[in-house]
Every structure is written in C-alpha cells, then in structure tokens.
Amino acid sequence: MGLLRCRRNVVIGLVVLLIYWVNAQWTVPPAAVPSGSAGVGSAGFLGAAACVSCHKAICDSHAVTAHFLSSSVASSVSIKGSFRGSRSRVVFNDRLEVLMEKRGGKFLQTAMFNGALYESEAFDVVIGSGRKGQSYLYWDSVRLFQLPISYYTPLDSWCNSPGYPTNLVYFGKQVPGQCMECHATGAKLMELGDGAVGFDRGSIVYGIDCERCHGDGAEHVKWHMAHVGEKGGHAILNAARLGRQQRLDGCALCHSGFRRQVMPSFSFKVGDTLDKFSTAVYDTGSVAGLDVHGNQYGLLTGSKCFRGSAQMDCSSCHDVHRDEAGKVGVFSQRCMSCHGAPGSVVGGARLAGCSFGPVKERGLVGNCVDCHMPALPSQKILLQFSGAAKPVHDLVRTHRIGIYPEISAAYLKSRK
Ligand code: HEC
Ligand code: HEC
Ligand code: HEC
Ligand code: HEC
Ligand code: HEC
Ligand code: HEC
Ligand code: HEC
C-alpha cells in the first residue's frame, strides 16, 4: 500500500504538511457570530457514567467509537505520537526543530532555533480520536491555541500541523468555538470582545457523549430512578422520533463541512432546524464541487438512494453507538434491507438488487460498498512531503452512492 511504503521512507527531517479541510474554518472571521454569546454553552452534562446503570450495552460499545474519543485532556494514553528518541523530533531545517518532550509530568512541544529555546508549550488538549490523526491545543488563560505539530496515523508520525508553513513554527493560532462544537459535548464560551472566544476550562465535556445527541439527561435520569420498571423512555430526546430533516440536521451540524455561523457555537440542539443556526457554504443543489471529506450530508442528499426514498437518513446505515469502521459486510446488509440480493427483482423495501452481470452471477453480497461508495481521494486532505513533487491524497469513503463503472471493473479484477 502506498502509505506504508511512504512510512519506510520517513527519515528524520522529513516534514509532512497536512492540509485538512478544517483549515477553511480558520479563514472565516469569528466576528460573523452575533454578540451576546457570552455564557452560551452547556455546562451541567451528566456524562455517560450517569447512563450506564440502565444502558450498559450502549455505553460500553459507545466508549470505543471515534465520536467518544474525538477530544480529551492530554495524557500518555490519549496522545498517540512517540516521545522516544529520534521519533520525537520534527526537523524543519538545519536551524529549526521541534522536540516532543515529557518533563515534570507534562508533555511539551519545544521549538529550538539555532540550538536555543524559542518557545515551549504544553500538550493540554487532544483533538481527534487518532483514527486518522490528531491535533493538539494549549491553554493561555481562557484562550486555546493550536500547537504547531500534529500526528498523522497512517505514517505513525509527528508532522507539521494542517496548513502550517514548513519554514517556521507558529504557536499563535487561536482556536475558535466551532472546533469544540464539532469535537466535544459541551463548553461554556466567553466573548472576549475582539471577536475571539474564550472557554470556561472546567465546563468542557470532552468527546462526543450521549447528551450531545440526546440533550440534557438530568430530568430523564431523575424520572427513571423514581420509576424503576417503567418501559417507555421519559423526558429524553430520541432523534428516531423526529422528522427526516431534523434527524439529518442532528448529524449535519458536524458532517456538512464548514458552515457560516448565524448563531453562536453550541446553541444548536438536536431537534432544531440547522439552517437557522448556520448555513451551508456550498451550492446545496449540486454535488459537483463537494469534497468527499467532511460533507457526508451534502453527498448523500445528492444521491438517488436518498432522493428516491422518503425515510433514508444516516441511521439507515450507521449505528452510531457502535464502532463499525471497516465492516463492509455489515453495511452491505443495510443496502440489502432496501435493495434485496443481487439479481432479485424485488428487495427488502421493494427495490431490485444489483443488476450488474458479474455480481449477479457470482452472488457477491458481502461488499456492495467498494463499487457503489468507493474510497476516493480527498482534494482537501493532502500530505505534502518535503522534496516530493506531488502531494499524496487521503482516501475517504464517498457518500455519493452511484454507479462507478471503472472502479467496479477494478474491484472485480482485484477479486479475479
Ligand atoms: C434509571 C435508569 C435510566 C438511566 C440512569 C438512564 N436511562 Fe435512558 N431510558 C431508561 C428506560 C427504562 C428507557 C426506556 C427503554 C429503552 O428505550 O431503553 C430509556 C430510554 C432512553 C432513550 C430512548 C427514548 C425514546 O424515546 O426512545 C434514550 C435516548 C435514553 N434513554 C438516553 C439516556 C441517556 C443519555 C442517559 C444518561 C444521561 C440515560 N438514558 C440514563 C432508563 C434510564
Ligand atoms: C458534535 C459533532 C458531531 C455530530 C453531532 C455527529 N458527528 Fe459523527 N463525527 C464527528 C467527528 C468530529 C468525527 C471524527 C471523530 C474522530 O475520529 O476524532 C465523526 C466521525 C463519524 C463517523 C466515522 C466513524 C469511524 O469510526 O469511521 C461516522 C460514521 C459518523 N461520525 C456518523 C455520524 C452520524 C450518523 C451522526 C448523527 C446521528 C453524527 N455522526 C453526528 C462529529 C459529529
Ligand atoms: C464542522 C465541524 C468540524 C469543525 C469545525 C472541526 N472539525 Fe475536525 N473533524 C470533523 C469531522 C466530521 C471529522 C471526521 C471527518 C471525516 O472522516 O470525513 C473531523 C476530523 C478531524 C481530525 C481527524 C481525526 C481522526 O482521527 O479521524 C482532526 C485531527 C481534527 N478533525 C481536528 C480539528 C481541529 C483542531 C479543529 C479546530 C481547529 C477542527 N477539527 C474543527 C468536524 C469538524
Ligand atoms: C452521534 C449521536 C449520538 C450519540 C453520541 C449517542 N446517540 Fe443514542 N441515538 C442516536 C440516534 C440518531 C438514535 C436513533 C437511532 C435510530 O434512528 O434508530 C439513538 C437512539 C438511542 C436510544 C434508543 C434505543 C436504540 O438503541 O436505538 C438509546 C437508549 C440511546 N440512543 C442511548 C444513548 C446513550 C446511552 C449514549 C451514550 C453512551 C448515546 N445514545 C449516544 C444518536 C446518538
Ligand atoms: C432506505 C432504502 C435504501 C438503502 C438503505 C439503500 N438504497 Fe440504494 N436506492 C434506494 C432508492 C429508493 C433508489 C432509487 C431507485 C430508483 O430511482 O429507481 C436507490 C438507487 C440505488 C442505485 C442506483 C443509483 C444510480 O445512480 O442509478 C444504486 C447503485 C444503489 N441504490 C446502491 C445502494 C447501495 C450500495 C446501498 C448501501 C450502501 C444502498 N443503495 C442503500 C434506496 C436505498
Ligand atoms: C447507504 C448507507 C450509508 C448512509 C445512508 C450513510 N453512510 Fe456514512 N458510511 C457508509 C459506509 C459504507 C461507510 C464506510 C465505512 C467503512 O469503510 O469504515 C461510511 C463512512 C462514514 C464516515 C467515515 C468516512 C471516512 O472515510 O472517514 C462518516 C464520517 C460517515 N459515514 C457519516 C455519515 C453521515 C453523517 C451520514 C448521513 C448524512 C451517513 N454517513 C450516511 C454508509 C452510509
Ligand atoms: C463489482 C462491483 C459491484 C458490486 C460488488 C455491486 N455492484 Fe451494484 N452495480 C454495479 C454496476 C457496474 C452497476 C451498473 C450495471 C448496469 O449498468 O447495468 C450496478 C447496478 C446496481 C444497481 C442499479 C440497479 C438498476 O436496476 O438500476 C443497484 C440498486 C445496485 N447495483 C445495488 C448493489 C447492491 C445492493 C450490491 C451489494 C449486494 C451491489 N450493487 C454490488 C457494480 C457493483
């Protein structure tokens, strides 16, 4: 595999530049958020620990999902990169390098210029489960800033943070509210006057926990503690009971790419209409210009599957309480709940199965997705190796479900 080959080529001094789509976030002035956001936020979440006594199976499986692990306080467990030997250094050039250090119980990124200390800041907060990579933040009073070095999982290597220059280290990028809005459960924000926001440190609930999608659970827990044995759920939100657009909006908040904010971060709650809180920055009528990365909502809603069925939403294929990454067989069963097996005239929801000759003949039911939802190169996540002419594109599963004849032919060939 290409990336593994790269790994062998990684030598000290190699600088990797990641350009995530999230870069776009930084370029929009936070001043677009109306004032009055002071104190908006969401302290007082109970956390999954308050749910486990009655929903043990869900809590256990959710604890290992990318959602739950999407942000955390930095620790030797949550930071994926190495602090040992040469692997703990990122060399920019012969005068400039950054050392990843463990000192006095702290994890630090220390920039050295001409052998002298330039700046050293702590890994305080981890953003990203490490499924693909991680970025790190440090506290300066109530403000959060991004550290210059990130971690890229496929190479198991430190690298220059997404979109950062390769010839200087920069500690001055302040983190906006949206970063936490998409990667955490709750945080109290403070308006700092210059359009920037601060965070009430103690109020941050890291990871995407139950109450991010189900709302504040206090009333629910109290009621069920007092009514043990009651079968129906009381005083809690279940998206399954909402209309389709509201169900989709609950995921689109974070899975429709960067949005232009109309209301402050964390004001949207599942059940609300997302367009009243933020608006899409792409043409919602066309999927042509969408990147495969980060906009599953836009791509899915442009697919025939979605437009032809009144009920389809993200939960048609995803059980968000489980880590199902890579389980193509499980996903294919979900396709067949509507389509039926290849060659069948009528499927689960009265739709025909696959009409492709070789699929029918060979009864290929275990993998519908590599042909119809192929992993495609992202235009926004690029790995730039110093010295290499062309950047490497990250592969992301497209949510534009469709017919891809060349990819289908290649898939058949790979299975010979
Ligand atoms: C004292 C027991 C108890 C605790 C604690 C508890 N629940 Fe429940 N919950 C129930 C029962 C009983 C039901 C109804 C049966 C079911 O759907 O599992 C329920 C149902 C639900 C439902 C589905 C509601 C519906 O309308 O379909 C959700 C969502 C939910 N709980 C979330 C949570 C969350 C989040 C927490 C923690 C903040 C939590 N529960 C804590 C007992 C509890
Ligand atoms: C608060 C923001 C937020 C909401 C709401 C949200 N997600 Fe996510 N989701 C994320 C982030 C961030 C990641 C990447 C996590 C990581 O790896 O650090 C992610 C990752 C995922 C993944 C990839 C998991 C994997 O292991 O490959 C799936 C699938 C997913 N989300 C589906 C959903 C669905 C379905 C919904 C709605 C029911 C939803 N998400 C709601 C932010 C969110
Ligand atoms: C609009 C919501 C949104 C915002 C804002 C956002 N992210 Fe993300 N981020 C996501 C989603 C969704 C994914 C998973 C995307 C996918 O797999 O297509 C992700 C993935 C990541 C990953 C890779 C995690 C992994 O291992 O899979 C990192 C690292 C990351 N984001 C860092 C950041 C940082 C740092 C910020 C703020 C400066 C930020 N993101 C802002 C939604 C967001
Ligand atoms: C990313 C959003 C998200 C997170 C995080 C999340 N849920 Fe859910 N949950 C949903 C959605 C969406 C549904 C409805 C699924 C459907 O349409 O059938 C649901 C349904 C439920 C139900 C109803 C029964 C069922 O199994 O469908 C319960 C109970 C529940 N969730 C509990 C929890 C608990 C407890 C946690 C935390 C450990 C949690 N959820 C975390 C989105 C989420
Ligand atoms: C909720 C039901 C539902 C699910 C689940 C579903 N589909 Fe569909 N799909 C449809 C409908 C409805 C159509 C449109 C049929 C029509 O217009 O004749 C469709 C159309 C298609 C088409 C034709 C697309 C084109 O451009 O001509 C393909 C291919 C397809 N689906 C594959 C899949 C795959 C693969 C999965 C699983 C990853 C899947 N579908 C899951 C309902 C579904
Ligand atoms: C028709 C089935 C289907 C529907 C509907 C669907 N997904 Fe997916 N999704 C998949 C499959 C298949 C994968 C690839 C899983 C894998 O290989 O690990 C995937 C992967 C993902 C990933 C990880 C992408 C990556 O490559 O890193 C995210 C994030 C995600 N889905 C979010 C969503 C959201 C949000 C929605 C609703 C807007 C949604 N999905 C609707 C089938 C679906
Ligand atoms: C080897 C790649 C491959 C696999 C595997 C595959 N398909 Fe297809 N599928 C295709 C191609 C190519 C077409 C277009 C065939 C044509 O032009 O007649 C197609 C057509 C379809 C259609 C459109 C049917 C119509 O009448 O318009 C549906 C629906 C579909 N596939 C669903 C599935 C499902 C569900 C699975 C898994 C059980 C699956 N496919 C597995 C390649 C594949």
Side-chain angles (χ1 to χ4, degrees):
M1 210 187 88
L3 286 173
L4 290 178
R5 219 174 300 123
C6 293
R7 182 175 172 177
R8 266 176 245 128
N9 292 340
V10 172
V11 289
I12 313 164
L14 179 70
V15 177
V16 182
L17 172 65
L18 282 160
I19 308 169
Y20 280 103
W21 65 276
V22 293
N23 280 329
Q25 329 285 334
W26 294 104
T27 60
V28 171
V33 182
S35 59
S37 61
V40 169
S42 27
F45 286 110
L46 300 172
C51 319
V52 72
S53 60
C54 303
H55 299 288
K56 188 167 186 322
I58 293 181
C59 292
D60 286 353
S61 64
H62 189 252
V64 297
T65 59
H67 277 154
F68 191 67
L69 302 172
S70 193
S71 59
S72 52
V73 172
S75 72
S76 56
V77 175
S78 60
I79 303 173
K80 299 292 176 209
S82 171
F83 288 83
R84 293 218 187 115
S86 60
R87 292 184 58 218
S88 66
R89 300 163 70 193
V90 173
V91 180
F92 283 65
N93 54 50
D94 52 8
R95 284 146 54 115
L96 188 62
E97 64 177 347
V98 181
L99 313 175
M100 266 41 73
E101 303 181 298
K102 244 189 261 186
R103 241 194 300 131
K106 281 197 146 196
F107 299 92
L108 300 164
Q109 292 197 5
T110 302
M112 306 291 290
F113 187 65
N114 282 336
L117 176 69
Y118 170 70
E119 182 162 357
S120 183
E121 302 291 353
F123 286 81
D124 286 324
V125 174
V126 178
I127 303 286
S129 64
R131 180 183 63 117
K132 294 189 169 172
Q134 298 184 322
S135 288
Y136 309 96
L137 318 178
Y138 71 92
W139 285 107
D140 182 353
S141 177
V142 298
R143 294 174 195 246
L144 276 170
F145 291 85
Q146 191 170 349
L147 288 168
I149 302 301
S150 290
Y151 173 76
Y152 188 60
T153 306
L155 302 181
D156 184 19
S157 164
W158 299 110
C159 59
N160 205 6
S161 286
Y164 275 53
T166 49
N167 57 353
L168 57 96
V169 282
Y170 186 59
F171 287 88
K173 214 174 218 179
Q174 203 187 326
V175 171
Q178 291 106 302
C179 194
M180 285 296 173
E181 184 178 32
C182 287
H183 283 274
T185 300
K188 260 200 182 117
L189 306 185
M190 300 169 214
E191 188 75 64
L192 298 179
D194 49 358
V197 298
F199 299 88
D200 172 349
R201 215 185 276 206
S203 76
I204 300 180
V205 182
Y206 292 103
I208 298 172
D209 207 342
C210 318
E211 288 158 290
R212 189 72 177 97
C213 299
H214 292 297
D216 182 351
E219 199 49 45
H220 173 70
V221 170
K222 210 169 111 194
W223 195 89
H224 281 281
M225 295 284 219
H227 299 81
V228 179
E230 282 293 334
K231 294 277 181 289
H234 197 266
I236 191 87
L237 196 112
N238 179 354
R241 305 193 195 292
L242 301 171
R244 175 155 86 157
Q245 191 56 48
Q246 286 170 302
R247 293 200 305 272
L248 288 161
D249 281 0
C251 310
L253 169 69
C254 310
H255 288 285
S256 58
F258 177 71
R259 302 177 65 87
R260 201 171 281 115
Q261 281 194 304
V262 179
M263 300 287 277
S265 298
F266 289 109
S267 47
F268 172 88
K269 302 277 180 279
V270 174
D272 291 337
T273 299
L274 186 57
D275 279 345
K276 292 185 183 156
F277 293 77
S278 60
T279 53
V281 295
Y282 56 91
D283 173 8
T284 50
S286 151
V287 294
L290 288 186
D291 191 57
V292 286
H293 187 73
N295 202 334
Q296 288 83 19
Y297 169 79
L299 291 159
L300 183 73
T301 53
S303 303
K304 273 195 189 163
C305 280
F306 180 87
R307 284 185 276 154
S309 56
Q311 283 303 308
M312 181 185 258
D313 64 14
C314 310
S315 297
S316 305
C317 298
H318 291 288
D319 177 348
V320 281
H321 304 130
R322 286 173 203 275
D323 174 10
E324 297 183 321
K327 296 186 178 163
V328 288
V330 169
F331 287 107
S332 299
Q333 285 299 325
R334 292 179 188 150
C335 306
M336 287 188 288
S337 70
C338 285
H339 285 291
S344 61
V345 180
V346 175
R350 309 195 69 77
L351 291 170
C354 189
S355 59
F356 191 39
V359 172
K360 282 196 287 184
E361 287 142 27
R362 288 160 61 176
L364 296 178
V365 295
N367 187 349
C368 313
V369 299
D370 277 346
C371 290
H372 290 297
M373 295 183 72
L376 299 177
S378 168
Q379 299 306 313
K380 293 196 178 148
I381 301 188
L382 306 173
L383 307 177
Q384 180 69 62
F385 299 93
S386 55
K390 279 189 191 161
V392 177
H393 296 260
D394 190 32
L395 291 177
V396 188
R397 191 68 75 175
T398 183
H399 279 64
R400 174 88 165 85
I401 306 167
I403 290 165
Y404 299 84
E406 280 161 32
I407 289 168
S408 297
Y411 174 79
L412 281 179
K413 216 170 155 195
S414 76
R415 308 232 334 172
K416 54 152 203 33

